[in-house]
Amino acid sequence: MKDKFAKLGLFSLTQTVFQIGGVMIMAVSILAGQTLSDSPTSASLPLSLVIFGTFIGLFPAAFIMRKLGRKPGLLLGTSIGIFGALCASYGLFSHNFYLYTSGHLFFGFHQSFMQYLRFSAMESVPHKDRASALSWILIAGIPAAFLGPMAGLYGKDLFRDQIYLGCFIILSFALSVQFVLITLLPQINKDIEKEVASSTNEATARPFSYHIKNPGLWSAIISSGFAFGLMVMLMSAAPVAMKSHGHHMHSSTLVLQWHVLGMYIPSFFSGFLVKKLGQSKLILVGILVMLAEVFAALQGTNFLPFAVALILLGVGWNFMYVGGTNMLVDQYHPSEKNMIQAINDSCVYMLATVSTYSSAYLESKVGWFGLNLVAIPFLLMSAVTVVVYMKSKKKGFS
């Protein structure tokens, strides 16, 4: 038991350091981009390239993980992230928007490797503990909720003549700490791999046509993808919307902190909810919470509606994402995991790329209220796929 807690604690700490950088990027990237470009579309380009870099790097990352192993892949990804942070830093220092933007792309490549940290944690414990392992990874976002926005707030003026440069210097340092922590992570236990492999009677990979027809896979991908895409769209647009409605950066930083807490505090009990409610019902609860977020956002542009909406956005994302990820793990055999995990994350980040790139532009065109209304049809579509999957289970899809 102590060994399990020590192991998951190290995974959780590594995830915390990783997410400090990710949260800070979300908080300051568009605002820093506005200092280099006046166009709403261009200002959100660097942040969208983080998501795009993650998207196009997922299959190469999966291939490298399969050939070299989890830990060497994570170390390589972190090295790419450090290079990207340094590129973005020099881009701000030299007022070069394209170099600043390319740094974000490399940071996205790094994130494509780090997506497999959660699967590594889930594979490091017995099958019965995997929901708890995912919760440990998500709980890591709680300290990141405070430290990420704080890094952005204090890094913003760290160098008087170079606004926001300090943020990316801090990012470079955090990634260096992340590199050290990854070297300490345990390798995947061979006995646990055998346990997972023995949990199914079929050792060989099933044809791709099976997965295409599997409603469980579609439900998992759509639930995680829409949750992630809507979350990053509204989360990244919130600082811009608050600024346009007269709020200072301190207020948007506070809202962002509460949002990230909303994302990760439910992880203390979401593992229990997966066992109690099941994956499908947890996703449906998450959809209802996301719809409540839209209602809260439409109540006005004062501080309180922003804060309540972003908290609900985080909670809804957590339920949909935890439910979708646990559902995904049930859809593949051990021999299929690299392919299915890469397909899932590619779809998720393709949706997130479009969402992030359009967030600042849509906010400037349709406003904060209109941006929230965009979420409704996607949430309803996600609910339909979950209901279809639940019915297919009753009919015994195989």
Side-chain angles (χ1 to χ4, degrees), residues 377-398:
F378 293 99
L379 292 171
L380 296 178
M381 196 184 308
S382 182
V384 169
T385 63
V386 174
V387 172
V388 169
Y389 171 60
M390 293 171 73
K391 289 185 176 180
S392 73
K393 281 185 71 177
K394 290 181 180 177
K395 292 180 180 178
F397 176 86
S398 60

Side-chain angles (χ1 to χ4, degrees), residues 10-326:
L10 189 55
F11 275 107
S12 186
L13 181 60
T14 306
Q15 181 76 4
T16 295
V17 176
F18 163 57
Q19 288 191 270
I20 287 171
V23 172
M24 191 200 68
I25 285 274
M26 285 286 187
V28 306
S29 178
I30 294 179
L31 298 175
Q34 287 177 337
T35 67
L36 302 176
S37 173
D38 295 328
S39 168
T41 304
S42 298
S44 62
L45 178 61
L47 186 58
S48 66
L49 284 182
V50 171
I51 310 298
F52 181 70
T54 306
F55 163 57
I56 63 175
L58 287 167
F59 276 99
F63 177 80
I64 291 170
M65 294 279 187
R66 187 167 62 249
K67 292 295 184 182
L68 302 181
R70 297 292 200 195
K71 185 184 287 189
L74 293 171
L75 290 172
L76 175 61
T78 302
S79 301
I80 295 172
I82 293 171
F83 177 74
L86 293 174
C87 281
S89 299
Y90 191 72
L92 276 173
F93 177 77
S94 60
H95 298 281
N96 187 322
F97 179 74
Y98 297 104
L99 188 58
Y100 171 74
T101 300
S102 66
H104 284 67
L105 182 63
F106 284 111
F107 186 81
F109 290 152
H110 141 262
Q111 285 197 154
S112 64
F113 287 86
M114 293 303 295
Q115 297 311 304
Y116 293 95
L117 185 66
R118 74 186 191 274
F119 292 116
S120 299
M122 294 171 79
E123 291 162 2
S124 72
V125 296
H127 187 269
K128 62 184 176 63
D129 293 324
R130 70 185 186 196
S132 298
L134 181 59
S135 292
W136 272 79
I137 288 292
L138 294 179
I139 286 168
I142 295 174
F146 292 100
L147 297 176
M150 281 177 60
L153 186 62
Y154 292 106
K156 172 178 174 281
D157 299 314
L158 191 60
F159 300 98
R160 237 176 236 187
D161 299 328
Q162 299 288 338
I163 190 169
Y164 295 110
L165 175 59
C167 300
F168 291 89
I169 299 298
I170 293 172
L171 177 61
S172 303
F173 174 75
L175 286 166
S176 300
V177 173
Q178 177 181 306
F179 186 95
V180 174
L181 289 172
I182 290 171
T183 64
L184 303 176
L185 291 177
Q187 297 286 359
I188 302 303
N189 190 299
K190 297 298 180 184
D191 293 334
I192 293 171
E193 285 190 340
K194 289 178 183 177
E195 179 187 337
V196 175
S198 65
S199 65
T200 176
N201 294 324
E202 188 178 357
T204 57
R206 292 163 293 190
F208 188 68
S209 59
Y210 167 86
H211 297 291
I212 290 294
K213 296 174 183 177
N214 181 5
L217 179 62
W218 283 106
S219 181
I221 290 174
I222 289 174
S223 297
S224 297
F226 285 177
F228 200 87
L230 294 173
M231 187 274 291
V232 295
M233 179 180 73
L234 296 171
M235 178 185 178
S236 58
V240 180
M242 292 187 73
K243 182 181 177 182
S244 66
H245 287 98
H247 296 279
H248 297 296
M249 186 177 176
H250 177 76
S251 296
S252 61
T253 298
L254 187 59
V255 165
L256 193 61
Q257 287 176 330
W258 283 103
H259 163 69
V260 180
L261 285 174
M263 289 172 65
Y264 297 117
I265 283 181
S267 299
F268 281 112
F269 51 85
S270 55
F272 167 77
L273 289 176
V274 169
K275 296 176 183 177
K276 190 72 175 176
L277 298 177
Q279 306 146 347
S280 300
K281 290 181 180 177
L282 184 61
I283 292 171
L284 292 175
V285 171
I287 292 170
L288 290 175
V289 175
M290 293 279 263
L291 289 170
E293 179 279 329
V294 175
F295 177 77
L298 297 177
Q299 302 311 301
T301 55
N302 294 326
F303 176 83
L304 188 59
F306 273 111
V308 173
L310 268 291
I311 291 170
L312 291 172
L313 178 67
V315 174
W317 169 85
N318 183 285
F319 290 164
M320 291 182 71
Y321 189 74
V322 169
T325 301
N326 278 279

